[in-house]
């Protein structure tokens, strides 16, 4: 069974704070992991991808991957009201070929 | 920046009617996908398409659904005899295929909202 689990939230943080979003996945042989952002009524938009254990930084975003724990996270530093959206964790699982399997998403609300 | 184009943006149909959703993937992409998202629920994989044939499909993608690449640019999803529960946003996505890093990054279109009455 291909599963990607996320807390649905909402996660509320004040402007300028760090937001931490978490994701676990069921398929131990998964190799590629992605964070997408989805604004209400819009399509998923890629934020970051990560393939190796450890941290990957891109501007205010840091993705963290721990394959042994089957865990991937996204940190958003200096959160802005424009970061308010649903964040989708997506995993390329072996049994799905090249397709991505998405979690339900975590809704982030950043208050000014 | 290259984008995936979907038409129509919104379609309303009567239960039992056939619907065709259209997508123009990014021109140098080789892999094409359809996903759906029922309101308030997660983005669900339907089907992937490569080299003019289905490469993977989910349990959702039953005989009611079909996909086709009728020419060099369009990629279509046909839903036969629509049901109320087919009401959802349908997203088309495309990708280059595996990059040197081993990842396959999907770019999504804006979606086609289907409402079945």
């Amino acid at each position: 069974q291909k599963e990607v689990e996320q807390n649905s939230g909402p996660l509320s943080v004040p402007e300028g704070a760090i937001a931490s979003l978490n994701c676990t996945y069921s398929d131990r042989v998964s190799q590629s992991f992605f964070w997408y952002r989805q604004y209400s009524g819009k399509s998923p938009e890629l934020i970051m991808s990560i393939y190796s254990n450890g941290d990957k930084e891109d501007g205010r975003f840091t993705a963290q991957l721990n394959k042994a724990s089957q865990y991937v996270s996204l940190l958003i530093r200096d959160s802005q009201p424009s970061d308010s959206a649903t964040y989708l964790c997506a995993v390329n699982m072996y049994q799905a070929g090249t397709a991505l399997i998405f979690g339900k998403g975590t809704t982030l609300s950043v208050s000014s | 920046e290259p984008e995936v184009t979907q038409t129509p943006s919104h379609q309303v149909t009567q239960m039992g009617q056939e619907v065709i959703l259209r997508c123009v993937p990014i021109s140098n992409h080789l892999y094409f996908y359809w996903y759906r998202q029922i309101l308030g629920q997660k983005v669900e994989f339907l089907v992937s398409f490569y080299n003019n044939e289905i490469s993977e499909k989910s349990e959702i993608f039953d005989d009611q659904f079909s996909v086709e690449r009728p020419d060099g640019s369009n990629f279509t999803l046909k839903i036969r005899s629509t049901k109320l529960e087919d009401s959802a946003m349908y997203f088309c996505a495309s990708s280059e295929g595996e990059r040197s890093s081993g990842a396959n990054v999907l770019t999504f279109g804006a979606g086609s909202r289907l409402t079945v009455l």
Side-chain angles (χ1 to χ4, degrees):
Chain A
Q1 183 75 350
K2 305 180 284 288
E3 295 288 345
V4 179
E5 299 289 342
Q6 297 180 254
N7 286 329
S8 59
L11 173 65
S12 297
V13 301
E15 184 174 359
I18 296 175
S20 177
L21 306 160
N22 305 313
C23 171
T24 58
Y25 58 94
S26 62
D27 183 0
R28 184 171 294 278
V29 299
S30 298
Q31 294 296 315
S32 307
F33 309 87
F34 304 84
W35 284 98
Y36 282 79
R37 177 174 61 198
Q38 186 177 32
Y39 292 111
S40 182
K42 302 296 185 181
S43 61
E45 171 192 16
L46 180 70
I47 298 175
M48 290 192 69
S49 57
I50 186 167
Y51 325 120
S52 304
N53 280 328
D55 295 359
K56 179 182 178 183
E57 187 173 317
D58 183 0
R60 296 187 295 112
F61 299 96
T62 299
Q64 299 173 317
L65 175 62
N66 183 327
K67 290 186 180 180
S69 301
Q70 295 174 234
Y71 175 89
V72 59
S73 66
L74 179 70
L75 298 178
I76 306 174
R77 289 181 299 282
D78 188 23
S79 296
Q80 301 298 309
S82 58
D83 294 327
S84 298
T86 298
Y87 289 80
L88 310 178
C89 175
V91 179
N92 177 221
M93 296 190 174
Y94 177 77
Q95 299 98 319
T98 61
L100 298 183
I101 304 301
F102 284 83
K104 290 187 70 172
T106 299
T107 299
L108 173 67
S109 177
V110 181
S111 54
S112 56
Chain B
E1 185 168 331
E3 60 181 26
V4 176
T5 304
Q6 291 187 241
T7 55
S9 57
H10 189 194
Q11 181 155 358
V12 180
T13 191
Q14 294 292 321
M15 190 169 55
Q17 295 298 303
E18 178 181 284
V19 164
I20 297 177
L21 306 178
R22 291 182 169 81
C23 170
V24 178
I26 294 172
S27 61
N28 65 333
H29 283 187
L30 302 176
Y31 294 80
F32 315 119
Y33 308 85
W34 284 102
Y35 286 80
R36 80 172 184 191
Q37 187 174 33
I38 296 170
L39 188 64
Q41 299 188 25
K42 68 178 180 180
V43 177
E44 299 176 292
F45 169 65
L46 294 178
V47 65
S48 59
F49 192 86
Y50 171 72
N51 200 25
N52 284 321
E53 61 182 22
I54 291 174
S55 51
E56 299 288 341
K57 61 181 180 179
S58 71
E59 310 80 49
I60 303 169
F61 193 88
D62 59 20
D63 292 343
Q64 181 194 13
F65 296 92
S66 62
V67 290
E68 191 178 35
R69 188 159 164 82
D71 53 42
S73 59
N74 288 285
F75 178 51
T76 63
L77 174 69
K78 182 188 291 186
I79 309 174
R80 286 182 281 274
S81 189
T82 49
K83 304 188 285 280
L84 295 176
E85 54 265 37
D86 294 327
S87 295
M89 181 74 92
Y90 288 82
F91 293 111
C92 175
S94 69
S95 70
E96 295 176 324
E98 289 194 8
R99 299 181 173 181
S100 57
S101 59
N104 187 41
V105 177
L106 272 62
T107 300
F108 284 81
S112 293
R113 179 168 298 283
L114 176 64
T115 301
V116 182
L117 303 176

